[in-house]
Every structure is written in structure tokens, then in C-alpha cells.
Amino acid sequence: MTKGCIFCKIAKGKMPCYKVYEDKKIIAFLDVNPMVKGHTLVIPKKHYENLFDCKDKILEKMIKATQKIATHYKEKLGCTGVNIMNASGKSAEQSVFHIHFHIIPRIDDDGYKVWPNTGYVKEDLEKLAKVLKIEDDEKK
């Protein structure tokens, strides 16, 4: 447990939550400041600050739990879609520095907008793709 981390306290049972899922490594609970009905947070019980330092096996468990919960919400909440969101790092607006995924249940015409029109000017995508391309380790 990282001192002062609210999610570590929740994971250790030292702070209450509205738990909807738990296994050996993962816990999920309702967000106390929800964007929509059923807004859920999925966290590892062990502290990892964000996507950059989280172990692959934990990320795998997190996304599998997220899928299980989202699928369950289709039946229980009647949602027809979900947004899965993560903010990793201060510049990405991460506010709790314990990795977590948000599950945002969605229904048609709910009025909630996730993807703003930013007006971002497109660069030369061909050049950018060459700079950003990751070589497959298996091909080396």
C-alpha cells in the first residue's frame, strides 16, 4: 500500500466503497462522483501509479475484469455501449495516482459527449507514422 493512496485504502478494506466485483488481484467499485448511472472504477489491489509502470499480467487482468463487468452491465443496466477510459500521468489529467479504468455505461441519446471536436491540425501522417512505428520484437 502506498501511503495516502485512497485506492490502496479501498483495496485493503480500510475505506468503504460500493463494490461490484472482486477477485484475487482486482477490485471494482462505483465511482462516488459518477458521470452516468453505473460509472465504475476498476483497479488492481497492488499499487501501480499508471499505465507506464503497471505489469502486463495486471493490465490483462484489469481489462478482462472490465470486459466482464461491462458485459454484465448490458443486462443489468440496459446499456448499449460503454466507454472505457484511463488517464495516465498528470498531463493526461490523472487525478488519483493509482492506475484505474473507468467504465462509463452508455445508452443511445444519453447526451453525454466523450470525444470533443478539438480542431487539431493534421500533420503529415506518413512522416509521423515512420517516427512512431514500433518494430515487432518477434521479427528481429
Side-chain angles (χ1 to χ4, degrees):
M1 181 167 94
T2 299
K3 186 177 180 181
C5 175
I6 190 169
F7 287 175
C8 284
K9 290 176 184 174
I10 289 170
K12 298 286 185 196
K14 296 182 180 200
M15 190 164 214
C17 71
Y18 299 99
K19 193 182 318 180
V20 295
Y21 176 84
E22 183 174 18
D23 65 26
K24 289 182 179 181
K25 304 282 185 185
I26 306 297
I27 186 171
F29 50 92
L30 296 177
D31 192 310
V32 294
N33 189 23
M35 294 179 191
V36 298
K37 182 179 181 178
H39 180 170
T40 299
L41 301 174
V42 180
I43 68 168
K45 291 180 178 180
K46 183 176 179 186
H47 185 86
Y48 296 95
E49 186 171 306
N50 55 42
L51 185 69
F52 304 114
D53 73 344
C54 192
K55 304 285 187 222
D56 291 354
K57 289 192 183 246
I58 296 299
L59 286 171
E60 182 180 338
K61 290 184 181 299
M62 286 179 70
I63 200 65
K64 284 183 177 181
T66 298
Q67 180 188 37
K68 183 176 192 167
I69 295 162
T71 301
H72 179 71
Y73 284 5
K74 279 182 74 174
E75 177 188 333
K76 295 296 182 180
L77 292 175
C79 62
T80 53
V82 294
N83 289 108
I84 307 303
M85 302 174 74
N86 167 264
S88 284
K90 185 178 177 183
S91 60
E93 300 178 50
Q94 184 176 1
S95 59
V96 177
F97 291 88
H98 183 123
I99 189 170
H100 56 286
F101 292 150
H102 294 258
I103 302 173
I104 313 294
R106 302 297 302 275
I107 57 171
D108 291 340
D109 301 319
D110 61 13
Y112 183 71
K113 296 294 178 206
V114 174
W115 310 114
N117 183 354
T118 64
Y120 182 73
V121 177
K122 294 178 183 172
E123 302 176 29
D124 182 332
L125 297 180
E126 186 174 347
K127 285 182 186 176
L128 184 59
K130 286 179 183 177
V131 170
L132 298 177
K133 186 172 183 176
I134 298 172
E135 294 299 325
D136 186 350
D137 290 337
E138 293 178 13
K139 288 183 180 179
K140 292 180 180 180

